[in-house]
Each structure stands twice: as structure tokens, then as C-alpha cells.
Amino acid sequence: ALAVSEGELVASELGARAQALRPDWVALLSKLGSVGPVMALTRNEHAVIECVGVYENVEGFGAMGQVVGKAIDLRLFFRRWHAAFAFRAPTLANDSRPSLQVFDQGGQALHKVFLTKDSDESAWRALVAEFQGDAPTFGAAPAPEFSPKADADVDQSALLEGWQNLNDTHEFTHLIRRLGIARTQALRLATPEWAQPVALGAWRGVLAGAGKHELPVMT
């Protein structure tokens, strides 16, 4: 309704409820571990994922990063991370919760961290003081990383051979990027041995079944 991005809206609170933070991502997330249990949140228009735990074993690999904790397990794409704020987010109870909020260049929220009743607020205040940064500027949303080929131009044999030789689920991203195709395109062009369409309700059934049978899964 305001025709602004969420990042711009948070930045408008600088000096009030918001404090810009220095974009030293690995150091910032590593320091976040001192705050203790927090709620990590990642969302888009289709889904919300929330996990409560401690940020542990934070590592960076250039434009990539990861957090490998007991409850919070993340793969991070730092090349899209543009700005971060410490922000006291308003709640339905008409109070506020301290949070860390990360946005891309276009002001779209990428990741958020909210303190819980078990968090160490003094450690949080020390983190905010240590990582004070300059006010960021937002611009156009980042362009797509690549435009996928047309189906007719995809080397399907190379796709299937590469798929067969995968050793880890994370290698799939490298395979499709090397071939210049989109993830859903790869799934559509694969043979039934590797992927086949299922009913839209299958996702709900899988999650409900995993919960009922206490079957550990990675999403």
C-alpha cells in the first residue's frame, strides 16, 4: 500500500526502533551464538520455516555460508545479503521483540532472527554495539542469476548422467547451474527413475506422515 519495500520501511525507523549493522556476515552470525536460544525465521509467499535454537558452527566460504547447529541448520547465499538491522519488531501483544533482520538489495527480507524469553539480552546489546554500521541504501531488486535454456536446448543425457553421479543432495544445484537449467525444469525433464510428478496434496501427506511416524527428514 505504501509502495516501499520492507527493508525501506525498517530503515525509516533508524534512530528509533532500528539500528543498522555492519555487513560482516560470518562474524555477526558467530557472535549471535552468545545470545543463546533464538528463533530463526525464513519465509517467502508460500511457506514459513521457524526453528528455535542456538547459532553454532558458523562458517563462510566466500559467497556461501552455513550454520550447522543442533536445531538451526542453514545454507546461506551471502551474495544476496545486502543490509542488516537490529530491530525491535512490534507484536500483536502491543510490545516489541528484539530481532536481527537481513534484506537483499531490493529490500526483500531474506532471513530474520528473533530473541526468545530464554535469550541473553545483555549479549544482544553487546552484539548491536559491536556491529554498528552505516545506514544502507536500497535500489532495484537483484536480477535473476541466469535465464534457463529452452527445454529443446537442454542436454538431457548430460543431465541424467550427472544426476546418477551425484554424491550429495547439495551437488544438484551445481549440476543444474553448470547445465544452465532451472531446478523445476530439471525435475520435469528427468526420467521417472529420478523424478516424477505427484499430486499437490502429496507434500502435506509426506510431512504429516513423517510427524506421525517420528521419521527424521531434512527439508
Side-chain angles (χ1 to χ4, degrees):
L2 295 174
V4 298
S5 67
E6 186 179 356
E8 291 172 298
L9 195 62
V10 171
S12 73
E13 296 270 13
L14 286 171
R17 290 189 301 184
Q19 167 67 56
L21 300 179
R22 190 172 73 253
D24 189 354
W25 306 126
V26 175
L28 177 62
L29 295 180
S30 296
K31 185 77 172 184
L32 192 57
S34 67
V35 179
V38 294
M39 189 266 280
L41 182 150
T42 302
R43 70 181 302 161
N44 59 23
E45 64 269 30
H46 306 293
V48 181
I49 299 177
E50 297 179 1
C51 293
V52 176
V54 178
Y55 278 71
E56 301 172 297
N57 303 313
V58 178
E59 295 183 285
F61 312 96
M64 302 291 293
Q66 65 181 24
V67 181
V68 187
K70 297 180 181 66
I72 298 178
D73 189 337
L74 306 171
R75 302 298 177 269
L76 308 169
F77 300 86
F78 290 140
R79 62 181 175 272
R80 301 296 294 268
W81 288 34
H82 173 69
F85 299 89
F87 183 59
R88 298 195 70 89
T91 70
L92 294 177
N94 202 28
D95 58 6
S96 60
R97 297 175 64 190
S99 66
L100 167 67
Q101 305 204 6
V102 180
F103 300 90
D104 68 12
Q105 183 178 337
Q108 179 179 353
L110 297 178
H111 188 57
K112 298 182 181 181
V113 181
F114 292 88
L115 271 62
T116 70
K117 61 181 178 60
D118 298 316
S119 302
D120 185 338
E121 289 209 33
S122 62
W124 169 252
R125 289 191 292 271
L127 179 152
V128 174
E130 179 179 347
F131 286 91
Q132 287 187 63
D134 299 326
T137 57
F138 294 99
E145 295 181 6
F146 74 98
S147 297
K149 299 176 180 177
D151 285 2
D153 296 329
V154 173
D155 186 341
Q156 190 175 16
S157 61
L159 170 64
L160 298 178
E161 181 181 0
W163 202 322
Q164 184 172 7
N165 292 324
L166 295 178
N167 295 309
D168 182 273
T169 183
H170 299 297
E171 294 179 2
F172 188 72
T173 299
H174 300 293
L175 172 64
I176 61 176
R177 187 164 296 170
R178 175 169 56 82
L179 296 176
I181 57 180
R183 180 178 294 267
T184 50
Q185 189 179 22
L187 298 176
R188 189 176 66 251
L189 295 176
T191 55
E193 179 183 5
W194 303 110
Q196 53 187 296
V198 295
L200 288 175
W203 177 244
R204 182 183 296 272
V206 167
L207 291 182
K212 178 181 178 180
H213 297 290
E214 298 183 355
L215 176 68
V217 296
M218 180 179 72
T219 56

